[in-house]
Amino acid sequence: MKIKKFITKELSRIDDDHFSESIKTPLKKDAFKIPDIEKVKLIEQKVRDILDILGMDLNDDSLAGTPKRVAKMFINELFSGLNPTNKPNSSTFINSYKYGEMLVEKNITVNSTCEHHLLPIVGIAHVAYISNGKVVGLSKINRIVDYYSKRPQVQERLTLQIVQELQNILNTKDVACVLDAKHLCVNIRGIRDAQSSTVTSEFGGKFREKEIKKEFLDYIKLEANF
Ligand SMILES: [Zn+2]
């Protein structure tokens, strides 16, 4: 609840023109000067250093491949969404069948990483939009969620980035996202509350209207046994 309140307050202070700047992932200007293949080598050495400082014997068979494995995982998997060249293409289709109601993509897997502790954020996203003449392929919504998840993240920013990307692609403000996720930095360390999860939401355009918002939230609650 606290987080929801925080977001609402933040957004009310930021007018639409400044919206995009405020939700950008903080990246250095020269973030992509070094090619990915070079980054893997550099990170591999740093991971080796960390393990060495911890006192691990890197000559042990089990550990020998770990630095390279971790470096490749950072660049090619966990943080691949930092690099704009990995962004899913944003092709849309004309809404030729004139479907005018909201479309809800439920239970989208979210695997992200908390930028404060570099520990996993694991959860689900529910995304909805009302077409303004354009539609996207369903899996495109999953891919957008995945792309922005694959970064060091905070959940609030992730929620907003997903909504803004779809607003841009679909040329409409009528996009909403609810994200429910467990943060391992809360679950396994610090307060060590294994049960708690965090809900964030962003309702754009018509989704701010009480009835439309309720309809979306009701669909999320629908249980289906497939
Ligand atoms: Zn954290």
Side-chain angles (χ1 to χ4, degrees), residues 23-40:
I23 66 165
K24 271 186 186 165
T25 296
L27 279 169
K28 298 193 298 178
K29 284 206 171 66
D30 62 353
F32 305 105
K33 205 172 77 181
I34 304 171
D36 280 359
I37 196 151
E38 275 302 309
K39 286 184 178 181
V40 169

Side-chain angles (χ1 to χ4, degrees), residues 63-106:
L63 286 172
T66 301
K68 188 169 192 178
R69 202 177 294 120
V70 171
K72 282 168 78 177
M73 177 180 72
F74 275 14
I75 295 298
N76 300 331
E77 296 179 89
L78 297 191
F79 305 138
S80 59
L82 285 173
N83 192 333
T85 59
N86 294 326
K87 192 171 178 176
N89 82 45
S90 56
S91 52
T92 53
F93 307 97
I94 302 292
N95 182 13
S96 51
Y97 25 84
K98 305 279 179 237
Y99 178 72
E101 299 297 325
M102 75 174 68
L103 182 145
V104 183
E105 185 82 358
K106 276 169 63 174

Side-chain angles (χ1 to χ4, degrees), residues 143-161:
R143 285 180 206 285
I144 287 166
V145 170
D146 197 54
Y147 172 70
Y148 286 102
S149 296
K150 295 275 181 293
R151 299 173 171 197
Q153 269 292 13
V154 292
Q155 187 175 326
E156 298 92 321
R157 186 199 297 131
L158 174 59
T159 310
L160 296 172
Q161 286 177 332

